[in-house]
């Protein structure tokens, strides 16, 4: 499917979420895809069938959503979506200036958001990109204090990260200096996107947000804003990839990595 098809598929899912109940193919196509300015006919129903990906439960009596039947994450499983903002691209020569995480477990949601004093000036181009300036981090805790505070939220959790190699490149050596090995199962949403959205040529966070019709990203290039967007795209892709087969996030991660 094309990126536009992914957007239309998400609009179908969003419409079903708003109604809270399954709809017949004809009704769903009429309410979401048909337009008064287009000729009537079977084209809307034909397009609808092309758009029904793994998120949708197809039954003889109508179309519903698998998320109504099983949760993300699965009961008894914890996931942590995380993001870091840094002074540059090199884990060896640059520092973390912000860390945010959202932990989901058994219907509970815990948010962690901290600015970090990098011990060096924030480069002007990073301030322009993130809005984080020297005066914002001057009184913040150092990274090791922040990581010690974050540790309990990471326990027994599968990590969900957009472009995981970048964030882990900064986090793993710093956790190691604290005597902690960050070896949680990891979902990289870029890798999920290769399977879930093969028609998408670019898989950065902005491209995924566009494909899932999320609109402008609130707080783009701030850690929590990027976490919230990563969570939204991960939610959509989880159901696209599991397609009615309840599976833990860590198992999906292992299957997609193999």
């Amino acid at each position: 499917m094309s990126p536009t098809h992914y957007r239309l598929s998400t609009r179908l899912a969003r419409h079903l979420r708003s109604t809270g109940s399954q709809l017949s193919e004809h009704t769903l196509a009429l309410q979401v895809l048909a337009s008064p300015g287009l000729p009537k006919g079977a084209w809307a129903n034909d397009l609808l069938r092309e758009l029904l990906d793994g998120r949708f439960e197809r039954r003889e009596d109508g179309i519903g959503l698998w998320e109504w039947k099983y949760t993300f994450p699965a009961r008894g499983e914890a996931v942590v979506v995380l993001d870091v903002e840094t002074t540059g691209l090199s884990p060896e020569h640059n520092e973390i200036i912000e860390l945010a995480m959202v932990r989901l477990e058994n219907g509970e949601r815990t948010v962690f958001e901290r600015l970090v004093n990098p011990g060096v000036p924030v480069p002007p181009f990073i301030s322009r990109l993130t809005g984080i300036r020297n005066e914002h981090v001057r009184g913040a805790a150092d990274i090791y204090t922040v990581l010690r505070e974050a540790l309990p939220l990471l326990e027994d959790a599968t990590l969900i990260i957009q472009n995981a190699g970048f964030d882990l490149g900064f986090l793993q050596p710093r956790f190691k200096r604290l005597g902690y090995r960050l070896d949680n199962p990891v979902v990289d949403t870029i890798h999920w996107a290769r399977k879930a959205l093969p028609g998408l040529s670019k898989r950065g966070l902005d491209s995924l947000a566009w494909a899932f019709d999320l609109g402008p990203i609130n707080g783009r290039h701030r850690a929590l804003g990027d976490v919230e967007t990563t969570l939204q795209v991960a939610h959509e892709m989880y159901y696209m990839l599991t397609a009615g087969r309840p599976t833990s996030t860590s198992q999906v991660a292992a299957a997609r990595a193999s």
Side-chain angles (χ1 to χ4, degrees):
M1 290 198 297
S2 71
T4 299
H5 281 77
Y6 298 134
R7 286 169 69 86
L8 289 173
S9 296
T10 299
R11 289 176 188 178
L12 292 173
R14 187 180 299 131
H15 186 71
L16 287 170
R17 289 170 188 144
S18 70
T19 62
S21 61
Q22 68 182 34
L23 298 173
S24 69
E25 284 190 7
H26 176 73
T27 300
L28 185 57
L30 186 66
Q31 292 180 353
V32 180
L33 301 177
S35 169
L38 295 174
K40 295 183 179 179
W43 67 268
N45 289 52
D46 293 339
L47 176 59
L48 176 81
R49 295 186 189 103
E50 293 180 21
L51 296 174
L52 295 178
D53 55 38
R55 289 173 284 184
F56 300 91
E57 181 187 17
R58 306 179 220 195
R59 298 163 50 103
E60 290 186 4
D61 56 347
I63 307 298
L65 294 170
W66 284 116
E67 65 190 58
W68 297 340
K69 298 290 182 68
Y70 61 97
T71 64
F72 166 74
R75 297 293 297 179
E77 180 189 31
V79 302
V80 169
V81 187
L82 69 81
D83 183 70
V84 299
E85 300 298 331
T86 67
T87 59
L89 300 179
S90 170
E92 292 80 20
H93 301 109
N94 299 120
E95 301 295 337
I96 295 171
I97 55 175
E98 190 173 37
L99 169 66
M101 305 188 298
V102 172
R103 180 181 173 110
L104 303 176
E105 184 177 18
N106 295 329
E108 297 289 329
R109 172 187 166 96
T110 306
V111 177
F112 180 95
E113 181 184 23
R114 298 289 185 274
L115 287 168
V116 179
N117 187 336
V120 296
V122 179
F125 79 95
I126 294 294
S127 292
R128 290 193 295 270
L129 180 68
T130 65
I132 300 172
R133 297 187 292 274
N134 288 309
E135 58 265 32
H136 298 145
V137 298
R138 190 172 294 121
D142 65 82
I143 185 59
Y144 299 104
T145 300
V146 171
L147 292 181
R148 287 189 190 94
E149 190 180 358
L151 267 174
L153 289 178
L154 296 170
E155 186 175 356
D156 299 323
T158 296
L159 307 183
I160 300 177
I161 310 171
Q162 171 73 14
N163 191 17
F166 177 83
D167 296 69
L168 294 177
F170 278 85
L171 290 172
Q172 286 174 328
R174 288 159 176 82
F175 271 118
K176 186 176 181 180
R177 289 169 200 153
L178 289 176
Y180 180 81
R181 184 178 177 184
L182 186 65
D183 57 359
N184 304 53
V186 176
V187 168
D188 189 330
T189 46
I190 291 178
H191 296 164
W192 269 15
R194 292 193 184 111
K195 297 289 186 178
L197 300 93
L200 200 63
S201 59
K202 296 181 179 179
R203 301 180 181 91
L205 193 57
D206 292 298
S207 296
L208 293 177
W210 191 91
F212 287 120
D213 198 29
L214 298 181
I217 299 176
N218 291 324
R220 182 70 173 108
H221 297 299
R222 289 299 300 265
L224 187 58
D226 287 355
V227 161
E228 296 288 7
T229 302
T230 301
L231 177 55
Q232 289 182 76
V233 302
H235 176 275
E236 302 292 346
M237 290 193 290
Y238 171 80
Y239 287 100
M240 293 171 78
L241 294 170
T242 56
R245 298 179 298 275
T247 311
S248 72
T249 308
S250 59
Q251 288 175 318
V252 178
R256 297 300 156 183
S258 61

